[in-house]
């Protein structure tokens, strides 16, 4: 384990389909089009056009003349959509969270491309085979309503208390990236699959039920409909600017130290993308120093590039939030290989 020492980033949203999305199957006509289609996990696009994507996509179009067509959904949902379209590829770039970016790679959805600036991205934040690179760093976390629950819970065990009945919700593992992260952190903190499932079975008595999108939980927490929900640091930090009752916290096992793990937004070029060259240009642009400096200032997250040291007010606040939190590194290869087994075990334990 290591203790957090540097800042990072995340994002938000619900399924958004850009108008005029077309499939061109990699034809010459498609290659000449001034568009690039992005399939992305929610979190980086602002509800009111104030997110990191909003700024970066607008700057990219202004510089290149290439319009970004944007499709948003849960992390697993975007990969499954791309899989269904494999014989008639629609997306040029996929941005999603672990373990779904690894899943996209193992299922042959990504082609190798190393964006300019990727040499400044840490080895653990990019694929060894060159199929994906993190563009925004981020961490898994939980949120609470600061008005109704001024002191954040400190442990997993505290969430079993009756006061959280029908006031707690987490997004669906296997569908949402942050929901899958609940499983990963629980298995780490409780020491394996079996004890984690035993705990989640008990927690189900307080759980409202499934949610395909993590970003939809924050408004419920802010309004007091929920006291606690899962999320991630970047997305929830960005949401807190318009949802003042959101507080971010990290569960511990018993009286131990709070833990988390990196949950970066990772981007890859889609295999047989209809606008491959435009996809390369967008990946390059997202890793430019200019775009990376806005990850914290605009997006409320942390730069993927090690040589970009954010010093804005958001970066300082995020660093303070992460103080004292131990960061562990999941075995992503194991999770990619056994994800279905873990999700099936969760379904069985919780009756979901």
């Amino acid at each position: 384990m290591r203790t957090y020492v540097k800042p990072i980033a995340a994002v938000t949203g619900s399924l958004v389909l850009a108008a005029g999305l077309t499939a061109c199957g990699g034809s010459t006509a498609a290659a000449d089009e001034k568009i690039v289609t992005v399939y992305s996990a929610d979190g980086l696009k602002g509800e009111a056009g104030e997110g990191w994507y909003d700024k970066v996509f607008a700057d990219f179009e202004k510089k290149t003349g290439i319009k970004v067509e944007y499709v948003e959904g849960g992390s697993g949902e975007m990969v499954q959509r791309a899989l269904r379209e494999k014989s008639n590829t629609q997306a040029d770039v996929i941005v999603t969270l672990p373990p779904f970016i690894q899943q996209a790679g193992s299922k042959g959805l990504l082609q190798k491309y190393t964006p300019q600036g990727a040499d400044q991205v840490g080895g653990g934040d990019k694929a060894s085979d060159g199929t994906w690179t993190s563009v925004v760093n981020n961490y898994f976390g939980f949120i609470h309503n600061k008005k109704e629950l001024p002191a954040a819970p400190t442990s997993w065990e505290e969430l079993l208390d009756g006061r959280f009945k029908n006031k707690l919700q987490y997004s669906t593992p296997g569908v949402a990236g942050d929901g899958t992260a609940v499983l990963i952190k629980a298995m780490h903190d409780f020491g394996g699959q079996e004890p984690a499932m035993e705990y989640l079975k008990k927690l189900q008595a307080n759980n409202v039920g499934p949610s395909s999108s993590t970003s939809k939980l924050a408004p419920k927490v802010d309004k007091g409909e929920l006291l606690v929900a899962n999320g991630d640091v970047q997305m929830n930090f960005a949401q807190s600017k318009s949802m003042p009752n959101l507080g971010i916290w990290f569960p511990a096992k018993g009286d131990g130290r709070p833990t988390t793990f990196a949950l970066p937004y990772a981007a890859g070029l889609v295999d047989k993308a209809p606008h491959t060259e435009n996809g390369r240009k967008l990946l390059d642009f997202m890793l430019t120093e200019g775009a990376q400096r806005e990850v914290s200032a605009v997006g409320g997250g942390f730069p993927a590039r090690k040589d970009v040291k954010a010093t804005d007010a958001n970066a300082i606040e995020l660093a303070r939030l992460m103080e004292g939190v131990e960061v562990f590194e999941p075995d992503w290869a194991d999770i990619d290989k056994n994800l279905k087994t873990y999700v099936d075990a969760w379904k069985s334990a919780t009756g979901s």
Side-chain angles (χ1 to χ4, degrees):
M1 291 187 180
R2 60 187 173 88
T3 300
Y4 174 85
V5 292
K6 64 176 183 178
I8 41 194
V11 296
T12 226
S14 54
L15 185 62
V16 178
L17 176 59
L21 187 62
T22 57
C24 302
S27 65
T28 302
D32 291 339
E33 288 181 314
K34 301 289 280 185
I35 63 172
V36 58
T37 298
V38 177
Y39 282 11
S40 179
D42 53 359
L44 290 172
K45 197 172 193 305
E47 295 288 346
E50 78 289 8
W52 186 69
Y53 271 162
D54 301 286
K55 180 69 165 64
V56 169
F57 291 169
D59 290 347
F60 176 72
E61 182 175 358
K62 183 177 180 180
K63 179 179 179 180
T64 65
I66 299 169
K67 180 176 176 56
V68 178
E69 303 284 7
Y70 180 68
V71 181
E72 181 181 280
S75 296
E77 179 186 0
M78 290 295 91
V79 173
Q80 289 303 312
R81 178 167 178 161
L83 273 173
R84 292 194 300 270
E85 297 169 350
K86 202 170 181 182
S87 62
N88 185 23
T89 307
Q90 308 274 321
D92 301 301
V93 171
I94 283 183
V95 185
T96 190
L97 308 181
F100 297 102
I101 192 66
Q102 288 89 345
Q103 186 182 83
S106 64
K107 292 184 179 298
L109 287 177
L110 306 177
Q111 57 175 297
K112 293 181 180 180
Y113 179 65
T114 302
Q116 296 176 25
D119 59 316
Q120 293 297 332
V121 176
D125 294 327
K126 57 189 176 185
S128 58
D129 64 358
T131 53
W132 58 266
T133 304
S134 296
V135 292
V136 170
N137 282 333
N138 189 25
Y139 291 106
F140 175 67
F142 274 69
I143 49 176
H144 69 108
N145 180 292
K146 294 192 294 185
K147 183 178 179 182
E148 302 293 333
L149 192 67
T154 59
S155 70
W156 288 104
E157 290 82 359
E158 192 173 343
L159 298 180
L160 300 177
D161 190 276
R163 64 182 167 146
F164 293 108
K165 187 172 180 62
N166 295 323
K167 288 288 188 176
L168 176 151
Q169 190 174 17
Y170 61 91
S171 51
T172 308
V175 176
D178 291 324
T180 305
V182 172
L183 286 188
I184 294 169
K185 178 167 157 58
M187 287 193 293
H188 171 270
D189 288 1
F190 285 91
Q193 177 183 321
E194 187 173 337
M197 299 311 160
E198 288 177 3
Y199 169 80
L200 293 171
K201 181 178 181 178
K202 295 175 184 177
L203 186 65
Q204 196 66 10
N206 289 343
N207 187 19
V208 171
S211 174
S212 62
S213 173
T214 312
S215 65
K216 293 179 180 178
L217 302 181
K220 295 180 181 180
V221 174
D222 183 61
K223 294 173 185 175
E225 295 174 22
L226 298 172
L227 291 177
V228 170
N230 70 312
D232 61 64
V233 174
Q234 179 277 331
M235 176 174 69
N236 295 141
F237 185 84
Q239 289 172 318
S240 70
K241 300 301 182 182
S242 59
M243 301 179 194
N245 294 322
L246 293 186
I248 300 172
W249 66 287
F250 306 91
K253 173 69 170 64
D255 58 0
R257 294 181 67 180
T259 68
T260 188
F261 61 95
L263 205 59
Y265 289 88
L269 187 65
V270 178
D271 187 46
K272 299 182 177 63
H275 313 99
T276 292
E277 189 55 37
N278 294 348
R280 291 189 181 116
K281 290 178 181 178
L282 180 60
L283 289 171
D284 288 348
F285 191 82
M286 287 194 289
L287 276 180
T288 58
E289 289 190 42
Q292 287 291 300
R293 291 190 187 283
E294 292 171 332
V295 164
S296 56
V298 176
F302 308 85
R305 289 181 58 145
K306 296 180 295 182
D307 61 336
V308 174
K309 309 297 183 184
T311 58
D312 58 89
N314 284 350
I316 293 169
E317 191 174 345
L318 285 163
R320 187 179 302 119
L321 175 68
M322 299 298 296
E323 287 177 359
V325 181
E326 290 187 344
V327 180
F328 65 90
E329 185 173 343
D331 185 343
W332 292 115
D334 170 77
I335 294 165
D336 181 36
K337 180 181 178 181
N338 297 301
L339 180 60
K340 185 178 185 303
T341 298
Y342 298 145
V343 172
D344 287 346
W346 170 81
K347 290 178 180 178
S348 176
T350 60
S352 299

